[in-house]
């Protein structure tokens, strides 16, 4: 297994995402972090270009990680970038339900396998949506987002209140 695609919204990247990215980079030759961009859907809080720029900052120390944008079906993105499989993180049993469904569908419609990493206990409670909420009301983001991005994320979220 050489190249894996780790897809997500990353709106914004959290320490939970970074846990999965770091562990995937240790197990596979190359990790493509795929930021989903579906023009038909609401764009989220951070523009996709900003999410990608933040991810690139966060993964700067790794030489086997690239950050790319994708739109459309995940299975098509996997084939387009010649990845061998998908990587996702699992936090809770609620994640499990949805992730199993997506993994099975992606295998059925595109022959794409999914590898799961069990979220580290320190990050199991962290989600981008709660980070957005906390940041919007000026709450502390220490330990929730990569330290190098903390002030950028905090400022951007406060401005949206
Ligand atoms: O970070 P998220 O929002 O949990 O990531 C969800 C994502 C991007 C992995 C999922 O929405 C996705 O794969 N979207 C691409 C469209 C697609 O392939 N949908 C069918 C999935 S079975």
């Amino acid at each position: 297994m050489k190249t894996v695609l780790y897809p997500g919204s990353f709106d914004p990247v959290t320490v939970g995402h970074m846990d999965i990215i770091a562990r995937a980079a240790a197990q596979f030759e190359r990790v493509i972090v795929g930021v989903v961009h579906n023009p038909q859907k609401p764009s989220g809080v951070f523009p996709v270009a900003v999410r990608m720029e933040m991810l690139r900052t966060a993964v700067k120390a790794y030489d086997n990680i690239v950050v790319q944008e994708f739109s459309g079906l995940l299975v098509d993105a996997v084939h387009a970038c010649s990845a061998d499989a998908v990587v996702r993180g699992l936090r809770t049993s609620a994640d499990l339900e949805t992730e199993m469904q997506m993994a099975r569908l992606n295998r059925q419609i595109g022959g794409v396998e999914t590898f799961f990493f069990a979220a580290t206990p320190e990050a199991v409670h962290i989600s981008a949506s709660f980070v957005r909420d906390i940041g919007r009301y000026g709450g502390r983001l220490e330990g929730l987002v990569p330290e190098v991005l903390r002030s950028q994320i905090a400022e951007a979220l406060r401005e949206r209140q």
Side-chain angles (χ1 to χ4, degrees), residues 6-11 17 34-38 41 51 70-77 86-88 91 95 98-99 101-107 109 128:
Y6 176 43
S9 305
F10 305 104
D11 186 28
H17 296 130
V35 182
V36 70
H37 179 213
N38 277 337
K41 280 196 170 177
R51 295 183 217 170
F70 79 97
S71 57
L73 287 176
L74 178 58
V75 290
D76 291 337
V86 164
V87 155
R88 292 282 286 170
R91 291 166 302 185
D95 278 354
T98 326
E99 294 296 335
Q101 188 180 10
M102 284 201 298
R104 288 185 173 123
L105 281 166
N106 286 333
R107 189 156 180 266
I109 66 172

